[in-house]
């Protein structure tokens, strides 16, 4: 367990060693933030902070560093209004509205990710993905607040894409470095997309716009850490540039499966009021669909990101 109070303490976690980055900042005297890793690959629970409160720049810088060090961070027992969720998230960048999911009437930047107890279809986020990579500038990260979570089930899994890249052979890395791939939202949000038969209780608006395509590098360099991360995902990546979908499928399928190998993952068990904040530039996530008969409602905010390079 890592405790940060009045004096800098080197974090000896695997995450810190692997990233050569540590959350060892001196906190203001009023805060004592602690980062406790939850798995070997990524993820830490942060305690000692109520994110509903206003925070000084030092505290926000600490949280940002924890995000860079652990790729996904969690806060338990938070009590957030939509305004407070927006205020906290805005400390990390501009917020964006989802292209195909309508936000809350008074807070268009917040989408409701909800599945009612009687729904049996595919859940929203129920495939390994990075958020909104159909956009030229996919989100930097997302802040997900667990408003109504099942007593058991409905966990979210995360996968570290630095590790996914690092563990490829040098031959495969050499081949992929410099390759680009096409991403589109047509699978989930196109007129014939999955939203047509799923997510009945969400405000999803399928559209022709989802047929548009963008190109991203297959491996991206994280703009803050400088590390390389594999950057393809099953939801939005459809083919390599200048190749057909059929030609691309075998290698993409290999990469999709490789990207979420168990040793790259962590799994978060939701409790009421928990918050997950992931770095979308180096993390895949997956919402587990194992809670039919129970309601689950989350509020999600996405922070604007930059163009992957
Ligand atoms: C999402 O993919 O943004 C939703 C994740 C979740 O509901 O756990």
């Amino acid at each position: 367990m890592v405790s940060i109070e009045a004096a800098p303490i080197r974090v000896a976690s695997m995450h810190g060693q692997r990233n050569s980055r540590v959350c060892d900042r001196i906190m203001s005297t009023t805060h004592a933030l602690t980062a406790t890793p939850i798995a070997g690959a990524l993820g830490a629970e942060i305690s000692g902070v109520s994110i509903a409160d206003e925070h000084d720049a030092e505290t926000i810088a600490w949280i940002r560093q924890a995000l860079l060090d652990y790729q996904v961070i969690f806060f338990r027992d938070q009590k957030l209004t939509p305004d407070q969720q927006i205020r906290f998230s805005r400390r990390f960048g501009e917020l964006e509205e989802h292209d195909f999911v309508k936000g809350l009437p008074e807070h268009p930047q917040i989408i409701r990710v909800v599945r009612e107890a009687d729904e049996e279809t595919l859940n929203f986020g129920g495939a390994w993905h990075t958020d909104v990579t159909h956009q030229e500038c996919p989100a930097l990260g997302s802040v997900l607040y667990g408003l109504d979570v099942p007593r058991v089930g409905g966990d979210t899994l995360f996968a570290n894409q630095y590790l996914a890249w690092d563990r490829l052979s040098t031959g495969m890395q050499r081949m992929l470095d410099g390759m680009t791939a096409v991403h589109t939202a047509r699978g989930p949000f196109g007129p014939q997309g999955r939203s047509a038969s799923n997510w009945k209780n969400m405000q999803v608006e399928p559209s022709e716009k989802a047929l548009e395509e963008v190109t991203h590098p297959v491996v991206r360099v994280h703009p803050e850490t400088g590390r390389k991360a594999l950057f393809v995902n099953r939801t939005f990546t459809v083919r390599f540039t200048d190749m057909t979908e059929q030609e691309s499928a075998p290698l993409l399928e290999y990469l999709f499966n490789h990207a979420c190998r168990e040793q790259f993952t962590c799994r978060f068990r939701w409790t009421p009021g928990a918050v997950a904040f992931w770095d979308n530039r180096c993390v895949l996530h997956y919402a587990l669909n194992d809670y039919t008969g129970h309601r689950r409602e989350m509020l999600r905010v996405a922070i604007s990101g930059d163009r992957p390079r």
Side-chain angles (χ1 to χ4, degrees), residues 42-61:
L42 78 168
E45 283 199 25
I46 308 298
S47 58
V49 65
S50 159
I51 63 176
D53 297 342
E54 291 218 42
H55 292 291
D56 54 23
E58 200 181 10
T59 303
I60 295 298

Side-chain angles (χ1 to χ4, degrees), residues 53-123:
D53 297 342
E54 291 218 42
H55 292 291
D56 54 23
E58 200 181 10
T59 303
I60 295 298
W62 189 95
I63 293 172
R64 192 174 190 110
Q65 188 61 53
L67 181 71
L68 295 177
D69 287 348
Y70 295 100
Q71 295 86 51
V72 54
I73 51 179
F74 308 100
F75 305 84
R76 296 261 180 212
D77 303 322
Q78 304 290 318
K79 208 164 169 13
L80 285 180
T81 64
D83 281 326
Q84 288 165 335
Q85 185 173 0
I86 285 174
R87 186 177 64 196
F88 173 74
S89 307
R90 279 200 62 133
R91 299 297 298 274
F92 300 90
E94 291 302 312
L95 306 187
E96 56 191 43
E97 292 179 28
H98 199 286
D99 294 320
F100 308 107
V101 185
K102 210 164 161 0
L104 302 182
E106 306 291 318
H107 302 89
Q109 310 95 325
I110 298 185
I111 63 167
R112 271 175 81 236
V113 178
V114 65
R115 191 162 181 268
E116 298 296 343
D118 60 359
E119 284 185 72
E120 289 184 4
T121 49
L122 181 71
N123 57 330

Side-chain angles (χ1 to χ4, degrees), residues 165 168 170-180 217-221 228 230 309:
W165 173 255
L168 288 169
T170 50
M172 180 65 96
Q173 288 181 342
R174 233 185 344 263
M175 183 175 77
L176 295 177
D177 216 346
M179 279 178 76
T180 57
V218 170
V219 49
R220 75 178 291 185
V221 177
K228 286 183 170 179
L230 188 60
R309 61 171 186 85

Side-chain angles (χ1 to χ4, degrees), residues 275-294:
V275 170
F277 181 4
W278 60 87
D279 186 336
N280 203 48
R281 301 163 295 185
C282 56
V283 167
L284 288 176
H285 61 282
Y286 172 82
L288 195 57
N289 185 0
D290 64 347
Y291 56 97
T292 297
H294 301 274

